[in-house]
Amino acid sequence: MIEITIDNHKVKIEPGLTILQACQQIGIEIPIFCYHERLSIAGNCRMCLVEVDNNPKPVASCSVPVFDGMKIKTNSKMVTKARKGVMEFLLINHPLDCPICDQGGECDLQDIAMGYGNDNSRFAYNKRAVKEKNFGPLIKTVMTRCIHCTRCIRFATEIAGVSELGTTGMGENMEIATYIDKTITSELSGNMIDICPVGALTSKPFSLTSRPWELNKTETIDVTDAVGSNIRVDTRNNQVMRVLPIVNEDINEEWISDKTRFSYDGLKYNRLDIPYIKKNNYLNKSNWDESFSVIKSKMISLKGKKMAAIIGNQVDCESIFLLRNLFKYFGSNNFLSSQNNANYKNIPRIAYCFNTTVSGIADSDLCILVGTNPRIEASMLNTRIRKRYLKGEYKVFSIGPSIDLNYPYKDLGNNPQILEEIYNGKHSLSKILKKSKKPIIILGDNVFIRDDVSAILYIIYKLCIKYPFVQIKNDNFIWNGFNILNHAASRVGALDLNFFSSNSKFNLEKIYELSEKNKMDFIYLLGTDEIDTKNLKNTFIVYQGHHGSDLIKYSDVILPGSTFTEKNSTYVNLEGRVQNTYKACNPPGNSKEDWKIISALSKKINKSLNNFLDLSDVREALNKENPKVFSENKAIISNKFKSFGNKGLISKKPFALAIKNFYLTDSISKSSKIMKKCSELIIEKN
């Protein structure tokens, strides 16, 4: 520790910090524009000027490190005069359009101008005007407002990993733009809006729709992927107006993906808001009581073997728990926790979680990707890998299809048998792994749809033992580098609740086969939007969800549910971390929260079944079911290292990726006009 003096107060500070960081640590606020704690230091704006003893002029606090005995003044006459001068220069060309600027009320320039701005300007010439740029369907530009802080450029280059933004010209003629007129192709581009300190970059979908002070703000989590990014949902008049990130250092830091940020308009399109019952091959509007009566009359006449339940990617734990109990009441164990042929039978928790944790990637020294593209499947997790790569002495390898990552990696080919070569020491990677201290392996969850999934898991288990992927001392993990990258928000929670069939051969194809042979009489689809119900024409189908599509038109009963922004619910992210969503608005029409629908249906069938009065009763039952996972402290539990998989033949069949189109992955994003436009402009044209 070193001792410095700030505003006549002696303080002890860690060496290596800048003056700005030292002041922030002790609660002294210094105005900034170009500085951002997660970006490199630029020193462009000069707004953070402070006075240092023995210096004839003020210095930029963001770029000057502290030293022992340094004396700093942050509020002297020299500092105030200098900052006012800088502010006067910044406002010379800045337009007086605050009343129509979407940044109004959240603008750093507005706030700082209150302290250091003048009521008039000495500049008597015409203001500079800059032509607007086309950054795509997500970011609106008014570049005349730009103060050349270069935050957006540094974010694009350093965090997003795309070198598409830069500067042209010098001085007041400098402009920030793409070098050629094109859409920014990063899946993180919306974060530039947040870090822009003025109104140069704003949200195009949100433009001129509302003012910040008109919005109701609800802190919740995102379920468009399995990471569980912390977000804030802003609503007005029971409508989601925008989505913003919340800082969580363990998960998403302060970033979110463009899908998380902009797919919210899909919440109001194609919504189901009233129950439907099929009569004479046509879906007719109904009510809850009649719908429950039809379902009851069908279910009580069936045997459990001829019933099945399938959940979608965004189903909450409370609803999964109640649906499972309902089917067990009828003696059915036919559960699918995915909308494909995935097999999760008899695997320990360590074999379906991201055990390193998202923040734990920072401690690794090598990464192997197997059948996955984290940039598309989990954007926030991918930023951690890139962040670790930029620190240096880090190598990334990929076994699977060629993928476009925003950091260099070595493509080892798309042959699963390469894993055996590595284990047997016949691959060049084997020697590198022996020297590695904390390697990680990330396996895409699409591997669970393969026929040889058990053999692949087994060889990876053997790899973890032979090489330092897993290090245990006294039954405690020193390091756990084995990870499954789930892309569905509901997946880990469903497996924690044993929502899978004990029969490894029971999958979606089996259901189609049984339905064709009239041996599957009843199927309950809970938020299941990817299954084409025309393949189940011989089966009575109940669909419960929040969006309608052509895929569910063959359903016999449709029950309108709620989205994650319309309910209080529990999710378990890919790490095994329990998190909660919080209700930001009400579901449309006669829609209900999903757990309430299943609970009411259960009571209709049997009054003593799932007799829960409110959500707290359901959560108490969840805690009793699995206290380690669903306890109130919501800490990530350490999974025991158990063997997984079975010895067998690994085929040469190439790995396939779980997601091909980043923007269209679920019923909400597929209903979003914004996401469809992004898909057309960014994916199809590039």
Side-chain angles (χ1 to χ4, degrees), residues 279-444:
K279 297 178 181 179
N280 300 321
N281 290 324
Y282 290 97
L283 286 168
N284 298 283
K285 293 182 180 180
S286 182
N287 56 61
W288 287 107
D289 190 60
E290 184 183 6
S291 301
F292 288 162
S293 296
V294 171
I295 298 171
K296 177 184 177 181
S297 63
K298 186 67 178 179
M299 292 187 76
I300 60 176
S301 64
L302 300 176
K303 296 181 179 179
K305 292 182 179 181
K306 294 187 175 183
M307 302 166 61
I310 310 173
I311 63 168
N313 293 348
Q314 297 183 353
V315 182
D316 57 271
C317 292
E318 290 90 351
S319 302
I320 295 171
F321 174 70
L322 294 176
L323 183 63
R324 187 206 67 182
N325 288 354
L326 174 61
F327 269 67
K328 282 193 171 184
Y329 172 78
F330 288 97
S332 176
N333 191 38
N334 295 331
F335 304 128
L336 291 183
S337 56
S338 66
Q339 302 175 76
N340 50 35
N341 294 317
N343 176 20
Y344 296 104
K345 181 190 175 185
N346 295 331
I347 58 172
R349 197 170 194 263
I350 194 172
Y352 60 81
C353 285
F354 199 92
N355 302 286
T356 303
T357 73
V358 175
S359 60
I361 294 172
D363 299 323
S364 64
D365 60 1
L366 183 147
C367 177
I368 302 175
L369 304 174
V370 182
T372 184
N373 183 353
R375 184 175 179 181
I376 294 177
E377 297 172 27
S379 302
M380 292 300 99
L381 186 145
N382 190 63
T383 62
R384 299 289 187 140
I385 301 176
R386 173 174 168 80
K387 186 178 181 179
R388 175 61 187 90
Y389 174 82
L390 293 176
K391 285 184 178 180
E393 298 183 358
Y394 198 72
K395 293 183 178 180
V396 180
F397 302 88
S398 175
I399 303 173
S402 295
I403 51 180
D404 181 20
L405 297 176
N406 49 11
Y407 45 85
Y409 74 97
K410 187 173 182 180
D411 192 342
L412 302 181
N414 193 5
N415 184 355
Q417 293 181 350
I418 294 173
L419 293 167
E420 292 181 316
E421 293 179 16
I422 297 171
Y423 173 71
N424 294 323
K426 298 179 180 180
H427 197 278
S428 58
L429 184 55
S430 305
K431 294 181 180 179
I432 299 174
L433 282 174
K434 286 181 179 180
K435 297 178 181 179
S436 178
K437 294 181 179 179
K438 290 185 175 180
I440 60 173
I441 186 168
I442 302 176
L443 182 63

Side-chain angles (χ1 to χ4, degrees), residues 542-588:
V542 176
Y543 173 79
Q544 178 181 328
H546 38 75
H547 279 76
S549 69
D550 289 339
L551 296 178
I552 64 165
K553 65 183 179 181
Y554 294 100
S555 302
D556 295 277
V557 179
I558 295 177
L559 306 176
S562 52
T563 65
F564 70 100
T565 61
E566 299 160 357
K567 60 186 177 183
N568 298 314
S569 53
T570 303
Y571 289 85
V572 185
N573 79 341
L574 51 74
E575 306 167 298
R577 186 193 305 270
V578 176
Q579 298 187 109
N580 294 120
T581 63
Y582 293 95
K583 191 174 184 177
C585 54
N586 295 315

Side-chain angles (χ1 to χ4, degrees), residues 401-552:
S402 295
I403 51 180
D404 181 20
L405 297 176
N406 49 11
Y407 45 85
Y409 74 97
K410 187 173 182 180
D411 192 342
L412 302 181
N414 193 5
N415 184 355
Q417 293 181 350
I418 294 173
L419 293 167
E420 292 181 316
E421 293 179 16
I422 297 171
Y423 173 71
N424 294 323
K426 298 179 180 180
H427 197 278
S428 58
L429 184 55
S430 305
K431 294 181 180 179
I432 299 174
L433 282 174
K434 286 181 179 180
K435 297 178 181 179
S436 178
K437 294 181 179 179
K438 290 185 175 180
I440 60 173
I441 186 168
I442 302 176
L443 182 63
D445 68 345
N446 221 35
V447 70
F448 288 96
I449 70 174
R450 296 176 59 98
D451 294 332
D452 59 352
V453 55
S454 185
I456 290 175
L457 288 176
Y458 181 76
I459 197 66
I460 291 178
Y461 166 72
K462 299 293 285 186
L463 278 171
C464 290
I465 296 175
K466 183 175 181 178
Y467 300 105
F469 289 103
V470 175
Q471 302 168 38
I472 301 174
K473 186 177 181 180
N474 298 328
D475 294 329
N476 295 317
F477 281 110
I478 300 175
W479 179 250
N480 190 345
F482 171 64
N483 304 289
I484 299 294
L485 179 50
N486 288 293
H487 70 276
S490 62
R491 186 68 41 74
V492 175
L495 297 178
D496 282 339
L497 293 169
N498 296 317
F499 196 90
F500 56 86
S501 176
S502 57
N503 182 2
S504 61
K505 295 182 179 180
F506 186 82
N507 53 29
L508 190 59
E509 292 296 328
K510 186 66 175 179
I511 289 176
Y512 290 154
E513 181 186 332
L514 292 172
S515 177
E516 188 177 349
K517 296 179 179 179
N518 292 313
K519 293 182 178 180
M520 181 59 64
D521 295 331
F522 184 93
I523 290 182
Y524 202 111
L525 303 179
L526 179 56
T528 312
D529 305 297
E530 305 297 323
I531 293 178
D532 194 347
T533 52
K534 69 181 180 182
N535 295 320
L536 303 168
K537 289 182 179 181
N538 298 330
T539 303
F540 188 91
I541 302 171
V542 176
Y543 173 79
Q544 178 181 328
H546 38 75
H547 279 76
S549 69
D550 289 339
L551 296 178
I552 64 165

Side-chain angles (χ1 to χ4, degrees), residues 210-260:
S210 187
R211 287 297 193 180
W213 54 84
E214 299 175 330
L215 304 173
N216 296 315
K217 303 169 179 64
T218 305
E219 295 186 358
T220 182
I221 64 166
D222 169 54
V223 299
T224 58
D225 58 30
V227 177
S229 299
N230 286 220
I231 59 174
R232 193 186 83 194
V233 177
D234 291 356
T235 59
R236 189 188 68 183
N237 297 331
N238 203 48
Q239 183 178 332
V240 176
M241 304 302 295
R242 66 177 181 178
V243 175
L244 299 175
I246 294 177
V247 176
N248 188 314
E249 299 295 344
D250 293 328
I251 303 175
N252 58 300
E253 296 183 303
E254 62 182 89
W255 320 119
I256 54 174
S257 72
D258 287 349
K259 182 169 56 178
T260 301

Side-chain angles (χ1 to χ4, degrees), residues 259 659 661-666 669-670 672 675-676 679:
K259 182 169 56 178
I659 298 174
N661 189 328
F662 168 76
Y663 298 99
L664 305 174
T665 57
D666 53 76
S669 60
K670 289 178 180 179
S672 167
M675 292 294 97
K676 287 179 180 178
S679 178

Side-chain angles (χ1 to χ4, degrees), residues 44-62:
N44 294 331
C45 72
R46 320 307 287 182
M47 198 66 214
C48 64
L49 295 173
V50 296
E51 183 180 349
V52 177
D53 270 12
N54 301 320
N55 271 57
K57 58 183 181 180
V59 300
S61 61
C62 67

Side-chain angles (χ1 to χ4, degrees), residues 26-139:
I26 63 174
I28 295 177
E29 187 175 348
I30 294 179
I32 53 174
F33 287 124
C34 69
Y35 175 80
H36 193 282
E37 61 182 358
R38 303 188 195 275
L39 303 176
S40 60
I41 296 172
N44 294 331
C45 72
R46 320 307 287 182
M47 198 66 214
C48 64
L49 295 173
V50 296
E51 183 180 349
V52 177
D53 270 12
N54 301 320
N55 271 57
K57 58 183 181 180
V59 300
S61 61
C62 67
S63 58
V64 177
V66 295
F67 57 82
D68 195 27
M70 179 183 262
K71 294 181 179 180
I72 305 161
K73 295 180 181 178
T74 66
N75 56 6
S76 65
K77 289 183 179 180
M78 177 195 287
V79 170
T80 302
K81 184 180 179 180
R83 290 176 182 174
K84 285 186 175 183
V86 171
M87 178 59 68
E88 187 175 5
F89 272 110
L90 289 176
L91 294 177
I92 280 178
N93 286 306
H94 199 81
L96 299 175
D97 61 352
C98 294
I100 61 168
C101 178
D102 283 307
Q103 194 80 355
E106 299 174 324
C107 179
D108 293 346
L109 187 64
Q110 276 185 335
D111 296 339
I112 296 173
M114 290 295 293
Y116 300 98
N118 295 316
D119 59 353
N120 58 69
S121 174
R122 290 173 284 179
F123 188 76
Y125 303 94
N126 293 329
K127 289 179 178 275
R128 171 192 65 144
V130 181
K131 184 180 179 181
E132 306 312 337
K133 310 297 188 287
N134 183 16
F135 285 2
L138 304 178
I139 302 175

